[in-house]
């Protein structure tokens, strides 16, 4: 159905103005002041956005939905994850395909694609995980890129599981350079992590709070430095996922200064929660175990500053949803067995707005740029990341006057499949009132409007 959004304040990465937006089918076709509804086709739905922002649909460039990891599986499926994403204003997700080392890449791609297609309510694409690089795998990576998956993911962590060695890293980057695809990378020195984990456990330091000292900032900064050396030698374009500390950002930024094509991501948890959360009593701290770990609280203002200065390009979530009762507790006797990850796909936009924009840490343009536009630009998401004639009609009508709280699972503000929210009780100063994906209203008045099992989402073409 055609859609006319009137009286809104259009906010993009670069512009701020008042106008009406008309969407015919899946595309924005007119942006003008005072569009007369009578000039629109019969049956046009008119939505009054007075007092609200009109943002481009937000993009989360780093999520895990189907994730076999640390001896278990993440809880969400695409139905729950995409619904939660949309309620939180995110209209496109980029998921990491994480095959085991002995899995064939093409089979993994088909598996991950099959989980999303016909299930997802929001649009989606993937970063192809390279967990093994040999001749057979290389041929499949070339075919996967031809299928439109124009980014890879490597782990310089998780020794013996997902991590690649230096030979594999070198050849992955060479292939990426040849094919013109971006390589996203989890950067930590896996040997240092493994050694420090053993030392801590041997000393009886088994609680969640010892996750951070097992992989301190130097371990992450070293991983980033390592990636940058390889990127410099191969000329590949790289994207450092979930930088958690000033030390890691500085390593990437100094490589950029010497000409390395590198982009830097921060994820929501590293902006709003710190290491003290893992010290909560009664094993509650396990809810906050992720990698790289939550850092000392002195790091948070530095990360906001890197974001405000645009050294950090994007804000993602690294949504990795594991239950507390049945999964996080696998690490009761050893923090190394706590499945890593903090569920947050639903909360990114609202917490970034509440803790970033309303406090003045970032302005509205930075907010849109980091949560939408840069991800579209870096990963070549055709039609996404802007409000413009010809763009996909992915629109978030955002209510800055909304006041509410993130609830416990099963209540109004928790639609992820996990049995806990890391942010339960946190205040929200704004929310997505109406959300469209390619012209279809998926959220209305803050409620999901897509219907049960609505599989409107599709694989985003990449350019
Ligand atoms: O803790 C995390 N980050 N879990 C998901 C896997 C990864 O490293 O991205
Ligand atoms: Zn990671
Ligand atoms: Zn991740």
């Amino acid at each position: 159905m055609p859609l006319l959004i009137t009286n809104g304040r259009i906010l993009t990465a670069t512009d701020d103005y008042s106008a009406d937006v008309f969407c015919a089918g899946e595309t924005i076709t007119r942006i003008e002041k005072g569009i007369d509804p009578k000039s629109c086709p019969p049956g046009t739905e008119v939505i009054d956005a007075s007092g609200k922002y009109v943002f481009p649909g937000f993009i989360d460039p780093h999520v895990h939905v189907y994730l076999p990891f640390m001896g278990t599986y993440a809880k969400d499926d695409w139905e729950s994850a995409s619904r939660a994403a949309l309620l939180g204003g995110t209209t496109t997700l980029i998921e990491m395909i994480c095959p085991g080392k002995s899995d064939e890449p093409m089979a993994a791609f088909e598996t991950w694609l099959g989980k999303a297609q016909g299930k997802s309510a929001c649009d989606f694409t993937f970063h192809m995980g390279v967990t093994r690089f040999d001749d057979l795998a290389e041929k499949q990576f070339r075919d996967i890129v031809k299928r439109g998956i124009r980014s890879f993911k490597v782990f310089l962590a998780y020794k013996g599981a997902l991590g690649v060695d230096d030979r594999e890293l070198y050849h992955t980057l060479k292939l990426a350079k040849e094919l013109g695809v971006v390589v996203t990378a989890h950067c930590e020195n896996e040997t240092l992590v493994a050694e420090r984990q053993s030392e801590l456990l041997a000393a009886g330091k088994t609680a969640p709070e010892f996750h951070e000292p097992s992989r301190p900032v130097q371990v992450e900064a070293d991983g980033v430095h390592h990636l940058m050396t390889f990127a410099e030698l191969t000329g590949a374009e790289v994207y450092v996922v979930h930088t958690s500390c000033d030390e890691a950002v500085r390593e990437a930024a100094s490589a950029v200064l010497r000409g390395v094509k590198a982009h830097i991501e921060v994820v929501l948890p590293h902006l709003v929660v710190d290491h003290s959360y893992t010290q909560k009593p009664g094993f509650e701290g396990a809810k906050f175990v992720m990698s790289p770990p939550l850092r000392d609280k002195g790091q948070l203002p530095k990360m906001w500053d890197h974001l405000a200065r645009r050294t950090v390009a994007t804000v993602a979530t690294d949504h990795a949803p594991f239950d507390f009762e049945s999964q996080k507790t696998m690490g009761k006797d050893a923090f190394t067995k706590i499945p890593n990850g903090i569920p947050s796909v639903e909360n990114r936009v609202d917490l970034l707005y509440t803790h970033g924009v309303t406090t003045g840490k970032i302005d509205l343009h930075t907010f849109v740029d980091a949560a939408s536009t840069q991800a579209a630009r870096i990963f070549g998401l055709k039609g996404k990341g802007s409000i413009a004639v010809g763009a996909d009609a992915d629109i978030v009508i955002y209510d800055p006057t909304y006041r509410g709280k993130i609830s416990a699972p099963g209540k109004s503000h928790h639609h992820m499949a996990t049995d806990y929210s890391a942010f339960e009780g946190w205040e929200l100063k704004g929310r997505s009132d109406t959300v469209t994906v390619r012209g279809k209203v998926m959220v209305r008045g803050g409620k999901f409007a897509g219907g049960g099992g609505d599989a409107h989402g599709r694989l985003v073409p990449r350019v």
Side-chain angles (χ1 to χ4, degrees):
M1 180 196 290
L3 192 63
L4 176 63
I5 298 166
T6 59
N7 305 314
R9 181 173 160 194
I10 298 174
L11 244 309
T12 70
T14 49
D15 297 316
D16 180 355
Y17 59 104
S18 295
D20 300 342
V21 180
F22 178 72
C23 313
E26 300 196 336
T27 311
I28 297 173
T29 54
R30 290 171 71 186
I31 304 176
E32 295 157 31
K33 283 195 190 296
I35 297 179
D36 183 353
K38 290 197 208 84
S39 71
C40 299
T44 297
E45 178 178 358
V46 181
I47 298 179
D48 182 9
S50 300
K52 300 192 177 71
Y53 296 121
V54 177
F55 293 131
F58 293 101
I59 300 165
D60 191 336
H62 181 172
V63 299
H64 305 270
V65 179
Y66 174 62
L67 178 63
F69 187 51
M70 297 182 74
T72 186
Y73 291 84
K75 284 303 284 192
D76 271 312
D77 60 17
W78 271 93
E79 203 175 314
S80 59
S82 63
R83 180 184 296 225
L86 285 165
L87 285 160
T90 295
T91 53
T92 301
L93 296 175
I94 312 185
E95 191 193 18
M96 307 284 177
I97 297 176
C98 296
K101 278 184 176 298
S102 56
D103 297 338
E104 291 310 326
M106 184 55 86
F109 169 62
E110 297 292 2
T111 299
W112 262 260
L113 179 64
K115 303 256 175 212
Q117 241 165 4
K119 279 271 163 54
S120 181
C122 69
D123 281 352
F124 57 87
T125 181
F126 303 94
H127 304 301
M128 183 62 217
V130 177
T131 51
R132 184 187 97 232
F133 194 99
D134 55 24
D135 290 346
L136 180 59
E138 178 186 337
K139 194 189 159 309
Q140 296 172 66
F141 294 134
R142 288 178 184 277
D143 290 340
I144 291 164
V145 170
K146 283 188 199 136
R147 301 269 299 268
I149 306 306
R150 305 198 53 81
S151 46
F152 293 153
K153 168 71 185 284
V154 290
F155 291 89
L156 315 188
Y158 305 127
K159 203 178 176 76
L162 300 170
V164 288
D165 64 25
D166 283 351
R167 186 196 60 79
E168 292 172 312
L169 176 62
Y170 184 62
H171 290 286
T172 302
L173 291 178
K174 279 183 63 167
L175 179 65
K177 167 72 181 163
E178 182 198 323
L179 300 177
V181 310
V182 183
V183 179
T184 70
H186 174 139
C187 297
E188 290 178 295
N189 182 315
E190 61 174 10
T191 307
L192 283 172
V193 172
E195 292 306 307
R196 292 178 69 87
Q197 285 178 334
S198 305
E199 284 167 9
L200 286 158
L201 293 181
K205 296 180 172 174
T206 59
E209 68 190 84
F210 295 107
H211 179 67
E212 200 281 337
S214 75
R215 41 214 317 153
V217 293
Q218 296 87 343
V219 164
E220 185 183 347
D222 185 67
V224 175
H225 182 84
H226 198 70
L227 176 76
M228 293 304 151
T229 303
F230 282 60
E232 191 169 6
L233 288 173
T234 56
E237 184 173 351
V238 293
Y239 174 98
V240 187
V241 300
H242 51 37
T243 53
S244 70
C245 57
D246 183 50
E247 290 78 353
V249 173
R250 283 179 187 278
E251 281 294 345
S254 78
V256 171
L257 286 178
R258 58 179 198 270
V260 177
K261 279 183 245 135
H263 312 278
I264 306 171
E265 172 192 276
V266 64
V267 294
L268 178 81
H270 291 133
L271 290 170
V272 297
V273 275
D274 62 61
H275 178 221
S276 67
Y277 284 76
T278 63
Q279 295 162 341
K280 282 177 177 269
F283 200 62
E284 283 282 298
K287 294 178 176 174
F288 299 91
V289 166
M290 66 172 293
S291 295
L294 301 183
R295 300 300 186 190
D296 183 85
K297 73 173 184 317
Q299 290 284 354
L300 273 57
K302 294 180 186 169
M303 297 306 284
W304 280 108
D305 197 46
H306 287 307
L307 177 62
R309 291 174 190 276
R310 309 308 294 117
T311 309
V312 165
T314 56
V315 177
T317 55
D318 195 9
H319 177 72
F322 295 99
D323 270 350
F324 178 65
E325 289 297 339
S326 61
Q327 295 183 298
K328 292 279 185 182
T329 48
M330 290 160 59
K332 271 257 180 228
D333 301 323
F335 66 86
T336 50
K337 297 205 170 81
I338 301 169
N340 288 195
I342 300 182
S344 43
V345 74
E346 189 167 355
N347 312 122
R348 177 184 66 126
V349 170
D350 292 334
L351 290 181
L352 189 64
Y353 184 83
T354 300
H355 290 266
V357 177
T358 72
T359 60
K361 290 191 185 82
I362 56 171
D363 64 23
L364 280 162
H365 297 301
T366 299
F367 170 67
V368 175
D369 196 41
S372 176
T373 309
Q374 284 301 319
R377 190 185 67 81
I378 295 167
F379 297 114
L381 308 183
K382 193 160 178 269
K384 307 296 189 192
S386 71
I387 300 277
V389 170
D392 283 2
D394 293 358
I395 295 173
V396 173
I397 303 177
Y398 201 80
D399 181 0
T401 65
Y402 174 82
R403 296 292 178 268
K405 278 191 178 167
I406 295 176
S407 67
K411 306 250 175 65
S412 55
H413 265 99
H414 184 103
H415 300 83
M416 302 173 284
T418 50
D419 66 354
Y420 81 98
S421 166
F423 306 107
E424 185 180 337
W426 285 42
E427 291 199 353
L428 298 179
K429 295 183 177 169
R431 78 158 178 195
S432 302
D433 181 85
T434 304
V435 179
T436 70
V437 177
R438 286 175 287 102
K440 181 163 184 202
V441 177
M442 302 302 287
V443 172
R444 201 187 286 278
K447 303 249 176 319
F448 190 65
D454 188 318
H456 177 64
R458 72 163 184 222
L459 185 68
V460 180
R462 308 269 287 269
V463 286

